[in-house]
């Protein structure tokens, strides 16, 4: 594997990240249940425990932030790129959501370096531009939360479900539910 990927990270982490990219690409293309996608993917490839854990964490990050990231990409991209590049954009942007700004910038730089090993120069430039714009978009969204719909978007909750929580439990409890659903689990 190319050493540029993950700036010399361990082979296991590199393999897990590439495997997560394959899993996300497959999930986006085929759809279906996430549990089935994970089980199918793990049955087709041999993993050690650490590789599986890292791959699954990356995939679950993607799922947790999918609505927000896809909303951003739909406005950012003029046309949908190749499946693997689109999955990489989804994967890398989803990993920026829960980071502090400085750490997110470092992670974005690392993702761009990895993209140079995986994609063409124009495609890696697209990854760079998308991540930089995504960080600005995320910052702006957080600073300008005005209504319940903005919170549903930030927490990647389908609006119909967020509204159902609001109707059933009230806005304050619904926001608590959204935050809890979105929080990273150990």
């Amino acid at each position: 594997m190319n050493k540029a990927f993950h700036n010399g990270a361990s082979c296991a982490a590199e393999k897990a990240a590439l495997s997560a990219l394959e899993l996300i690409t497959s999930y986006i293309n085929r759809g279906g249940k996430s549990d089935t996608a994970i089980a199918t993917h793990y049955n087709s490839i041999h993993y050690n425990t650490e590789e599986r854990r890292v791959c699954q964490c990356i995939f679950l990050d993607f799922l947790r932030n999918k609505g927000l990231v896809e909303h951003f990409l739909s406005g950012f991209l003029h046309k949908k790129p190749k499946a693997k590049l689109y999955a990489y954009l989804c994967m890398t942007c989803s990993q920026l959501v829960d980071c502090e700004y400085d750490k997110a910038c470092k992670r974005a730089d690392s993702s761009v370096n990895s993209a140079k090993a995986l994609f063409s120069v124009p495609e890696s430039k697209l990854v760079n531009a998308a991540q930089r714009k995504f960080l600005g978009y995320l910052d702006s969204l957080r600073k300008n939360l005005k209504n319940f719909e903005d919170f549903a978007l930030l927490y990647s909750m389908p609006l119909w479900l967020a509204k159902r929580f609001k109707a059933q439990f009230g806005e304050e409890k619904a926001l608590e539910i959204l935050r809890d659903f979105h929080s990273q689990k150990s």
Side-chain angles (χ1 to χ4, degrees):
M1 288 190 185
N2 193 324
K3 280 286 188 192
F5 194 77
H6 284 298
N7 292 333
S10 73
C11 189
E14 190 175 304
K15 183 179 176 186
L18 289 172
S19 183
L21 177 59
E22 291 173 18
L23 175 57
I24 291 168
T25 303
S26 174
Y27 180 79
I28 290 171
N29 289 337
R30 293 190 189 120
K33 296 181 115 184
S34 59
D35 291 348
T36 304
I38 290 171
T40 303
H41 187 71
Y42 290 140
N43 287 337
S44 66
I45 300 173
H46 298 289
Y47 290 97
N48 70 36
T49 306
E50 182 63 14
E51 290 169 3
R52 182 179 175 138
R53 186 191 67 75
V54 172
C55 178
Q56 191 165 332
C57 283
I58 294 169
F59 182 66
L60 294 175
D61 251 358
F62 157 72
L63 288 178
R64 199 174 61 256
N65 296 299
K66 184 177 181 285
L68 173 65
V69 171
E70 287 185 338
H71 182 267
F72 163 75
L73 289 175
S74 70
F76 175 75
L77 298 169
H78 300 292
K79 65 178 185 170
K80 196 170 181 179
K82 294 184 284 184
K84 185 175 179 180
L85 178 58
Y86 184 77
Y88 189 78
L89 290 169
C90 289
M91 180 178 85
T92 57
C93 285
S94 68
Q95 291 180 317
L96 301 176
V97 174
D98 296 323
C99 292
E100 294 177 14
Y101 187 78
D102 290 341
K103 186 176 181 183
C105 289
K106 288 178 185 175
R107 188 172 276 183
D109 287 339
S110 177
S111 297
V112 171
N113 288 333
S114 299
K116 290 175 184 176
L118 296 169
F119 303 106
S120 69
V121 171
E123 290 170 329
S124 62
K125 287 182 178 182
L126 175 64
V127 170
N128 185 36
Q131 289 187 45
R132 301 296 172 201
K133 290 280 188 186
F134 181 70
L135 287 173
Y137 168 78
L138 194 55
D139 187 49
S140 176
L141 181 61
R142 286 178 176 149
K143 287 179 181 174
N144 298 308
L145 292 169
K146 294 179 185 136
N147 54 43
F148 189 75
E149 289 78 11
D150 292 340
F151 282 97
L153 177 61
L154 179 64
Y155 295 124
S156 281
M157 182 66 64
L159 188 56
W160 67 268
L161 185 56
K163 285 182 177 180
R164 182 177 285 176
F165 290 144
K166 183 179 174 183
Q168 188 171 355
F169 302 111
E171 188 166 331
E172 189 174 317
K173 181 67 175 172
L175 287 173
E176 185 181 318
I177 291 169
L178 296 182
R179 283 186 203 100
D180 187 52
F181 269 123
H182 189 262
S183 66
Q184 211 170 21
K185 308 300 184 233
S186 59

